[in-house]
Amino acid sequence: MQILLLGSGGREHALAWKIAQSPLLKKLYIGPGNAGTSECGENVPLSVNDFEGIRKFVLGKGINMLVVGPEDPLVKGIHDFFLADPLLNKIPVIGPVAKAALLEGSKDFAKQFMIRHGIPTAAYKTFNVSNIDQGYTFIGSLKPPYVLKADGLAAGKGVVICQDLASALQEFNAMVRDSKFGQASAKVVVEEFLSGIECSAFVITDGISYLVLPEAKDYKKIGEGDTGPNTGGMGSVSPVPFADRDFLKKVEDRVIRPTVEGLKKDGLDYTGFIFFGLIKVNGDPYVIEYNCRMGDPETESVVPRIKNDLVELLKAVAERKLGEHRIITDPGTCATVMLVSKGYPDAYEKGKTITGAGSVEGSMVFHAGTSVKEGKVVTNGGRVIAVTSLGPGMKEALAATYRNAEKIEFDGRYFRRDIGFDL
Ligand code: AMP
């Protein structure tokens, strides 16, 4: 098979690393990729939202499968674009059509979906400028803390949690009236606050059946002890000790199966990955969010634990034969730490030379924000490189990850030294 993988982060490097191991693969292209993905296939200078450019490339190279890493092209309808084109519509796309990608693209859509299909989630109401006064009243009727969510995609920044009523009302106003998150906050979901511990579940589905992938926990805050502003993710661990057999069974029975069945009932054809952001409250799972793709940096901890040939699974999705497969999971623990640029998640500098990745032993190195400049690997983003280790237990995996993370250096490098601290 000739596969084009879209994206340029650590998630895509981990997927590319796994895809490249398949005997079914003839050639892998990554568009646009990063310095790390070029070791798994050929990077091509494609922008993930340039559908015409992607079309030309796919037809020119005889690509037989498109794997979409990030959410943006899915929400913008890349799968629909392929279906509508007589020359592309036989080429399978891993990633849902736009209507189904709304599970991530619209919080209000996702909440309505969950309510319709009896999937446990926080109570909520949605407001816009036309009923903003009812929004003030509703917020006033809740107890703190207050959870406000921009309806649309806001680069992971659209959820605001306010500790007191005055700041919640002010924030709500800024989102709805002052377009704090642009068009994404024209609608705002106001939600009951749930108190518990979070983890993420993942499935791959062909729209008929599904396979549950290993679960993971990620660390979103920049600072140790889960302090400071949110980031794209500073590390991850899989499996998650508190997600025991009993809890995972509830997740499958109450969340995963009803979601896949709900998509079918609603006539939403879904081929690809579903990410479930979960919170465990008194032993029970509630859905915090859906994503229409894999998470980053969860993928870096999930993919190395999957023993199956990933291309074989992707092919089964395309052929709607996923039901004939089962997931084989490594019983060990995977631990990932993300090395980031100084200043991230605020402003940071790019172009710093990265050294030491060659001396890593016993860990995997997944590039995120890197590129090659004048023959050197340099930083090209806030999240730069993920170091991942698979060990018999969390202690061993973390020890290997931290030993190797120290070896990779660049000016302003920062990473959290407490991944897994709460497990
Ligand atoms: P999201 O972008 O929807 O994943 O939300 C970002 C973060 O906000 C989540 O990872 C949670 O930590 C928190 N959060 C979202 N919704 C709730 C809620 N209803 N109750 C408590 N925390 C929440």
Side-chain angles (χ1 to χ4, degrees):
M1 291 185 73
Q2 299 210 80
I3 297 179
L4 171 62
L5 168 65
L6 292 182
S8 60
R11 166 183 52 216
E12 284 75 23
H13 190 184
L15 290 171
W17 170 83
K18 185 73 178 159
I19 289 170
Q21 293 169 30
S22 172
L24 298 173
L25 183 75
K26 188 167 146 215
K27 173 104 190 185
L28 173 65
Y29 297 94
I30 308 99
N34 59 39
T37 59
S38 63
E39 285 165 24
C40 311
E42 186 180 332
N43 284 352
V44 286
L46 287 171
S47 151
V48 299
N49 290 319
D50 174 15
F51 295 0
E52 284 299 338
I54 292 166
R55 176 182 191 274
K56 232 167 119 185
F57 182 83
V58 163
L59 293 176
K61 293 286 183 189
I63 297 295
N64 357 71
M65 177 182 280
L66 180 72
V67 181
V68 186
E71 65 280 13
D72 219 29
L74 293 168
V75 173
K76 291 197 167 92
I78 190 151
H79 195 152
D80 311 70
F81 176 84
F82 268 57
L83 289 176
D85 188 310
L87 295 178
L88 297 177
N89 65 14
K90 294 283 182 299
I91 300 168
V93 177
I94 305 299
V97 295
K99 266 187 172 169
L102 279 178
L103 280 186
E104 174 164 6
S106 164
K107 301 267 187 207
D108 180 53
F109 176 90
K111 296 297 281 191
Q112 289 189 36
F113 177 89
M114 287 184 264
I115 301 299
R116 187 158 64 242
H117 299 294
I119 296 161
T121 189
Y124 82 106
K125 277 200 168 118
T126 304
F127 302 97
N128 58 35
V129 76
S130 71
N131 62 352
I132 194 164
D133 289 335
Q134 289 160 20
Y136 298 136
T137 311
F138 181 66
I139 293 170
S141 75
L142 298 173
K143 283 198 230 67
Y146 303 90
V147 183
L148 308 177
K149 299 186 172 184
D151 176 59
L153 292 184
K157 299 201 169 88
V159 175
V160 185
I161 297 181
C162 302
Q163 297 304 324
D164 62 81
L165 182 61
S167 58
L169 293 172
Q170 194 182 2
E171 187 65 36
F172 177 67
N173 205 48
M175 286 167 97
V176 179
R177 264 204 216 287
D178 307 334
S179 309
K180 180 167 176 185
F181 298 105
Q183 194 50 33
S185 65
K187 260 197 230 171
V188 170
V189 168
V190 180
E191 207 172 270
E192 163 203 18
F193 181 86
L194 297 174
S195 186
I197 30 178
E198 289 177 57
C199 66
S200 309
F202 309 89
V203 303
I204 182 166
T205 178
D206 59 2
I208 302 164
S209 53
Y210 63 86
L211 295 175
V212 181
L213 307 178
E215 78 286 359
K217 173 165 171 54
D218 80 330
Y219 292 82
K220 280 220 166 60
K221 303 278 187 193
I222 188 76
E224 286 166 15
D226 286 340
T227 53
N230 268 332
T231 69
M234 298 296 291
S236 62
V237 174
S238 175
V240 183
F242 67 78
D244 53 24
R245 192 187 290 256
D246 178 48
F247 179 72
L248 291 177
K249 183 167 183 329
K250 287 181 188 169
V251 171
E252 183 160 3
D253 291 345
R254 300 179 191 179
V255 175
I256 292 175
R257 198 173 308 112
T259 297
V260 175
E261 291 303 321
L263 288 166
K264 275 192 241 179
K265 281 182 203 152
D266 292 350
L268 297 170
D269 189 24
Y270 201 114
T271 50
F273 297 99
I274 314 176
F275 166 121
F276 304 85
L278 303 170
I279 188 161
K280 184 180 182 183
V281 184
N282 299 323
D284 292 330
Y286 289 78
V287 178
I288 293 267
E289 65 162 343
Y290 285 114
N291 289 337
C292 61
R293 36 82 196 180
M294 289 295 286
D296 191 350
E298 291 95 332
T299 306
E300 290 90 313
S301 286
V302 168
V303 160
R305 293 191 60 225
I306 300 172
K307 289 186 164 182
N308 306 62
D309 175 345
L310 184 59
V311 176
E312 197 176 300
L313 296 181
L314 298 177
K315 203 163 156 270
V317 169
E319 293 166 356
R320 315 259 179 185
K321 288 183 177 164
L322 201 57
E324 296 172 11
H325 294 260
R326 63 186 188 91
I327 286 288
I328 309 158
T329 305
D330 190 296
T333 292
C334 229
T336 297
V337 62
M338 190 63 84
L339 278 52
V340 306
S341 301
K342 184 178 166 192
Y344 177 78
D346 298 323
Y348 54 84
E349 290 176 12
K350 293 184 186 176
K352 310 287 184 193
T353 304
I354 303 169
T355 59
S359 54
V360 166
E361 278 170 31
S363 296
M364 293 154 270
V365 174
F366 294 125
H367 289 229
T370 70
S371 65
V372 178
K373 208 167 91 188
E374 290 155 12
K376 282 187 188 151
V377 178
V378 298
T379 66
N380 189 39
R383 295 194 295 161
V384 177
I385 277 187
V387 179
T388 296
S389 315
L390 182 60
M394 195 160 66
K395 220 170 126 186
E396 295 86 350
L398 281 167
T401 287
Y402 280 119
R403 190 176 66 242
N404 283 308
E406 292 290 358
K407 295 182 187 169
I408 300 175
E409 293 191 74
F410 52 89
D411 186 27
R413 178 203 71 184
Y414 165 77
F415 58 88
R416 272 180 66 168
R417 288 166 197 274
D418 69 340
I419 298 305
F421 77 99
D422 53 341
L423 301 176

